Amino acid sequence: MFKLSEIKKSLIVALWFIFLTFPIMVIKVNTIENVIFWRWRNMFMIGIGSFVISLVWRYFQENEESGRKTLALFTENPLTKRMKMGSLSERPTKDGVIRESNPVIQRTFYGLLIVVALLFPFVNQYQTTILTTALMYVILGLGLNIAVGLAGLLHLGYVAFYAVGAYTYALFNMYYGVSFWVALPLGGILATLFGIALGIPVLRLRGDYLAIVTLGFGEMTRITLENWDAVTHGPSGIAQIPKPGLMGLELTTQQGIMYVYYLAVGLAVLTVFATYRLQNSRIGRALMAMREDEIASQAMGINITRTKLTAFALSAFFAGMAGVLFAAKTGFINPQSFTFMESAIILSIVVLGGMGSILGVIIGALILILLPEYLREVGNYRMLLFGASMVVMMIFRPQGIIANVRKVYKIDKGGRD
């Protein structure tokens, strides 16, 4: 059933996992009594578990082609079936088994997701709070997906637009008494202007150079907020930011948490709808063409300058709105809420979910934000398990949880009658 070479490779994987986890899983030091405990049972469990998982994974890798054909029977797009009867047919891609290929399945999944999201606040207050945070990262991930996933622009300073939205609500409310509903579009607009301001000087940059400049832009924004004491209150931050209002009604703590949660759900649904329409529009096609080959797309008549600025502007707009919601949810912000690690987490969401994939970004955000919270019960092993799962994911599925669909068409030799 299994080849000897596959068994040897799985043994090597098991030994590597034992070696990497040995200091944490096997050695336990009692600093009070100065005693070392050797937990050899954990070592054998890790070795056997990683060996079995590796064997199973290799088995499925061997049968990937047959699995793809079986999956196609259930997820084939009806449009593809009609096309196969005509002069055009779709050629299956080899970029992953799990793909966004059937609109019916997508709409069904989105519908179930919305129903679950609407009923979720009745579970408990803690679960609602962390899911609100996850929904904000869904908005941020989908916004960054426009620049990174669709346009292919590596952006490492995305948190700067997030900070612009948050400080827009905090400052305008503190100095001018602006309400949440006025600050929400205003934060998106100001973040858009910052996105255009960033896009203009980096029009000719690509790859690592673009990443370095955007990273510097994010840090420059944070340092400015931290040192502009007269306006932003510097490291002390801004407190007592009011919650969103509901037609002048007084809300209890529980009702306020539910209200902010439903606002996050609404903004997330709006972002999904907007990015889906963008992806299938003329602008979205131009963004994807620029991602594949900038020179070729420019030769075909695409205005690269305008397309890049559009990508930065649209991406920043959603970050600005998420920043306004973040300030309203927490009631306090300071520059330490917008460090480079936030940009890294948002970028990880896009990469983990699948660059260019809307559904993948949603799942990636829920996993990256909720998983560390739900692993708190395992104490010190929480981040170890979380990091190991991310490493395994990047090794065995580098294209992300749900790979973006790339349709390729060919003309049948039969042609028309």
Side-chain angles (χ1 to χ4, degrees), residues 38-245:
W38 300 89
R39 298 172 293 181
W40 301 110
R41 181 182 176 185
N42 290 354
M43 184 184 73
F44 288 112
M45 290 178 63
I46 292 171
I48 294 172
S50 56
F51 176 76
V52 172
I53 292 173
S54 178
L55 274 183
V56 172
W57 178 266
R58 293 180 188 283
Y59 172 77
F60 282 109
Q61 287 288 94
E62 289 289 330
N63 296 273
E64 182 178 357
E65 187 64 31
S66 60
R68 185 185 294 113
K69 292 179 181 178
T70 303
L71 184 66
L73 296 176
F74 297 97
T75 62
E76 188 174 17
N77 194 325
L79 177 63
T80 305
K81 296 179 181 179
R82 293 196 298 269
M83 290 169 57
K84 287 182 178 179
M85 298 175 62
S87 60
L88 293 177
S89 64
E90 183 182 12
R91 189 171 65 211
T93 60
K94 297 182 180 180
D95 56 354
V97 178
I98 305 177
R99 298 177 295 165
E100 289 184 276
S101 57
N102 195 326
V104 177
I105 293 178
Q106 291 182 45
R107 291 167 188 165
T108 304
F109 179 81
Y110 289 144
L112 292 174
L113 204 61
I114 292 173
V115 171
V116 172
L118 293 177
L119 299 176
F120 194 83
F122 299 97
V123 179
N124 62 58
Q125 183 174 329
Y126 170 71
Q127 302 290 343
T128 304
T129 302
I130 62 173
L131 190 57
T132 303
T133 304
L135 288 171
M136 288 193 298
Y137 278 92
V138 168
I139 300 171
L140 291 169
L142 290 172
L144 184 60
N145 191 42
I146 296 174
V148 176
L150 296 183
L153 304 172
L154 184 55
H155 201 328
L156 296 182
Y158 190 65
V159 73
F161 307 132
Y162 189 35
V164 168
Y167 271 89
T168 295
Y169 179 37
L171 294 175
F172 275 79
N173 179 268
M174 182 173 63
Y175 291 113
Y176 306 107
V178 173
S179 66
F180 170 81
W181 294 107
V182 176
L184 186 63
L186 186 61
I189 292 171
L190 287 179
T192 300
L193 295 177
F194 270 78
I196 296 174
L198 170 64
I200 291 174
V202 300
L203 288 174
R204 296 183 179 275
L205 299 180
R206 304 178 189 174
D208 299 338
Y209 301 101
L210 177 62
I212 292 171
V213 173
T214 53
L215 173 61
F217 176 76
E219 287 300 296
M220 183 174 62
T221 303
R222 182 186 62 81
I223 293 172
T224 301
L225 294 174
E226 201 166 49
N227 290 278
W228 201 3
D229 293 339
V231 177
T232 65
H233 292 185
S236 301
I238 302 174
Q240 297 181 349
I241 302 173
K243 303 290 183 183

